[in-house]
């Protein structure tokens, strides 16, 4: 039985992860859970999985959780811990084999690194870990003999396809992108996009920021950075193709010209089923892909003129230094401003580009603390820029 700690248990990845654990009785022991403030959902999870340790973001949330658990058998009560320290406890629980890193944002960085230092296997759903700290994190993983198992569907697909050949036989990887809801829009139409329109993703159900990032193609750009670190590739070995049906989750082209693709339904549980059980494959209880119903599969080049975020991310992946961290922090603030109707949709890449110009020349980081401090300063500067030039 594999013992798992779950960082971000009430988010969409976290809930899907627990669903997979329930589908495979006897395979997993969920020993520790970390969530933010959703104590109702968390209390329900405690009742279902009886973890030993539970972490919440604040002491108020801890009090509410304790109240929510008062009908639970006292012997099943978990220890409740709080804040950053609580996250670290969950990430490093001595009995844990595998840590599922599914906290959104840079908050997931420190606990994921500590888990790696403790030699825990990592199922990685948090994008920012590799986008902002790819070099540090992959070095740390190598030093500690830890495999990073990607949960992001594209990287999970590539991980599966790579099992068909050796690392030096890979010509390139092809990340697929749904293209988002504004595929084929004119520049004029893009300038009139509202938050409601951007939050309606055609194929995946996800959180707000990642949904907007999918619409700007920033999400795909961040996935280029993720792929670069996960699979130790040159940026030129990473291509992006728009594939509106989202059935081919990504592909690997080998030196002999063979292209291996991984196909599946659009279901976050599928990559989790793979990552949690790796290197085995176990039968889950999810719907199967029906290619008869898929009718046709289309592939096309992304329109980087209308969606400049993709090229900005390629630039960050080529030049590295502080650019990936700048890209991520500026984008998160810009997306927030767009959702609050302070800027228009095309303003998102414009703001990110401006912040990247300012960051040029800032060198590489030597610690997570340095990254977090820089990240905070980019956020401050981006807010200032929006207030000064964009509103
Ligand atoms: Mg993805």
């Amino acid at each position: 039985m594999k013992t798992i700690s779950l960082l971000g248990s009430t988010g969409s990845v976290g809930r899907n992860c627990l669903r997979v654990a329930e589908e495979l009785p006897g395979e997993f022991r969920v020993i520790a859970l970390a969530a933010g403030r959703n104590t109702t959902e968390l209390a329900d999870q405690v009742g279902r999985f009886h973890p030993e340790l539970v972490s919440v973001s604040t002491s108020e949330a801890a009090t509410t959780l304790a109240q929510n658990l008062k009908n639970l058998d006292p012997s099943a009560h978990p220890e409740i811990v709080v804040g950053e320290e609580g996250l670290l406890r969950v990430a490093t629980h001595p009995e844990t084999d595998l840590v599922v890193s599914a906290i959104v944002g840079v908050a997931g960085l420190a606990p994921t690194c500590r888990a790696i230092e403790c030699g825990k296997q990592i199922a990685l759903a948090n994008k920012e870990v590799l986008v902002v700290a790819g070099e540090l994190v992959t070095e740390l993983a190598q030093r500690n003999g830890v495999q990073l198992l990607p949960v992001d569907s594209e990287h999970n697909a590539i991980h599966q396809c790579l099992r068909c050949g050796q690392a030096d036989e890979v010509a390139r990887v092809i990340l697929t992108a749904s293209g988002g809801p504004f595929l084929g829009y004119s520049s004029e139409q893009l300038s009139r996009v509202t938050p409601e329109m951007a939050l309606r993703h055609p194929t995946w159900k996800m959180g707000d920021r990642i949904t907007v990032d999918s619409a700007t193609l920033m999400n795909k750009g961040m996935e280029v950075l993720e792929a670069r670190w996960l699979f130790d590739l040159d940026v030129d070995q990473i291509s992006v193709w728009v594939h509106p049906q989202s059935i081919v989750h990504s592909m690997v082209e080998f030196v002999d010209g063979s292209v291996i693709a991984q196909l599946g339904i659009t279901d976050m549980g599928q990559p989790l089923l793979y990552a949690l059980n790796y290197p085995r494959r176990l039968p889950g209880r999810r719907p199967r892909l029906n290619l008869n119903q898929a009718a046709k599969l289309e592939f096309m080049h992304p329109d980087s003129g209308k969606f400049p975020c993709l090229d900005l991310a390629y630039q960050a992946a080529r030049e590295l230094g502080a650019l990936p961290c700048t890209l991520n922090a500026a984008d998160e603030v810009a997306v927030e401003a767009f959702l609050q109707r302070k800027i228009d949709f095309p303003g998102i890449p414009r703001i990110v580009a401006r912040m990247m110009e300012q960051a040029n020349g800032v060198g590489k980081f030597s610690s997570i603390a340095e990254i977090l401090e820089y990240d905070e300063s980019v956020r401050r500067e981006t807010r200032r820029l929006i207030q000064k030039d964009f509103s």
Side-chain angles (χ1 to χ4, degrees):
M1 197 184 312
K2 226 179 239 182
T3 302
I4 61 179
S5 277
L6 174 52
L7 298 167
S9 71
T10 56
S12 54
V13 175
R15 289 199 310 268
N16 272 289
C17 175
L18 293 175
R19 221 167 285 150
V20 169
E22 271 170 338
E23 278 174 36
L24 297 169
E27 293 294 334
F28 301 103
R29 176 175 173 222
V30 180
I31 201 156
L33 296 173
R37 288 191 202 90
N38 188 349
T39 49
T40 315
E41 172 87 24
L42 186 56
D44 174 66
Q45 294 177 348
V46 170
R48 279 152 61 206
F49 294 94
H50 306 292
E52 282 180 9
L53 184 68
V54 169
S55 171
V56 287
S57 57
T58 61
S59 42
E60 295 81 64
T63 311
T64 320
L65 178 65
Q67 277 161 3
N68 290 346
L69 292 176
K70 65 175 186 293
N71 293 331
L72 195 71
D73 184 84
S75 66
H77 273 224
E79 182 187 354
I80 301 175
V81 286
V82 169
E84 273 174 51
E85 199 47 45
L87 284 178
L88 296 180
R89 288 272 314 275
V90 169
T92 61
H93 191 288
E95 284 173 57
T96 294
D97 304 311
L98 176 93
V99 174
V100 181
S101 170
I103 292 183
V104 180
V106 290
L109 190 51
T112 306
C113 288
R114 280 289 276 281
I116 296 173
E117 282 166 353
C118 292
K120 310 292 188 195
Q121 294 305 108
I122 307 289
L124 188 63
N126 173 310
K127 277 204 163 67
E128 287 82 354
V129 166
L130 288 177
V131 170
V132 310
E135 193 166 6
L136 283 173
V137 170
T138 46
E139 268 175 27
L140 195 64
Q142 242 169 28
R143 227 182 306 137
N144 290 283
V146 166
Q147 274 222 52
L148 302 173
L149 297 163
V151 171
D152 202 350
S153 65
E154 293 79 359
H155 306 81
N156 189 270
I158 291 168
H159 194 274
Q160 299 192 41
C161 297
L162 285 175
R163 292 169 83 176
C164 292
Q166 305 297 320
D168 61 359
E169 295 165 351
V170 173
R172 63 168 172 160
V173 304
I174 300 154
L175 293 166
T176 55
S178 73
F182 311 129
L183 188 63
Y185 268 42
S186 67
S187 305
E188 143 83 307
Q189 284 173 306
L190 284 176
S191 67
R192 283 187 274 113
V193 160
T194 62
E196 291 75 20
M197 289 159 78
L199 291 176
R200 242 179 277 130
H201 192 275
T203 49
W204 291 95
K205 176 96 202 68
M206 306 170 292
D208 282 0
R209 181 193 171 193
I210 187 169
T211 305
V212 176
D213 279 348
S214 296
T216 61
L217 294 197
M218 180 58 94
N219 180 54
K220 209 49 54 180
M222 288 176 49
E223 289 180 358
V224 169
L225 275 148
E226 266 188 292
R228 190 243 169 275
W229 294 115
L230 273 172
F231 309 115
D232 193 23
L233 297 164
D234 286 337
V235 177
D236 298 322
Q237 287 178 289
I238 308 168
S239 306
V240 172
W241 287 357
V242 171
H243 166 48
Q245 293 82 15
S246 299
I247 285 173
V248 173
H249 293 155
S250 277
M251 299 175 255
V252 174
E253 184 182 313
F254 288 92
V255 286
D256 60 359
S258 279
V259 178
I260 307 290
Q262 190 264 340
L263 285 69
I265 55 166
T266 49
D267 166 18
M268 223 177 274
Q270 195 73 51
L272 279 160
L273 186 63
Y274 174 83
L276 294 180
N277 291 301
Y278 180 81
R280 296 185 302 162
R281 285 187 186 271
L282 295 181
R285 273 191 269 121
R286 20 210 77 238
R288 299 277 161 149
L289 175 64
N290 184 346
L291 276 175
N292 277 336
Q293 277 174 1
K296 64 175 178 180
L297 304 178
E298 299 165 290
F299 300 92
M300 58 199 96
H301 287 292
D303 186 340
S304 50
K306 281 190 210 132
F307 299 95
C309 286
L310 188 56
D311 280 351
L312 290 172
Y314 265 107
Q315 186 198 338
R318 266 194 197 95
E319 298 174 26
L320 298 176
L323 289 187
C325 187
T326 310
L327 174 97
N328 174 64
D331 177 68
E332 189 166 339
V333 175
V335 166
E336 215 172 80
F338 166 69
L339 291 175
Q340 295 164 351
R341 294 169 216 277
K342 289 180 184 158
I343 62 167
D344 63 5
F345 188 76
I348 300 172
R350 273 190 219 122
I351 286 163
V352 175
R354 285 274 294 277
M355 292 309 296
M356 283 174 65
E357 278 162 34
Q358 288 184 30
N360 239 329
V362 181
K364 74 173 201 176
F365 305 108
S366 55
S367 71
I368 298 302
E370 228 174 80
I371 291 176
L372 293 177
E373 195 182 316
Y374 178 77
D375 171 89
E376 210 28 73
S377 75
V378 175
R379 284 166 203 268
R380 266 197 313 273
E381 279 301 304
T382 309
R383 284 191 197 100
R384 215 178 51 84
L385 175 72
I386 291 171
Q387 207 156 43
K388 187 166 75 87
D389 290 0
F390 286 83
S391 45

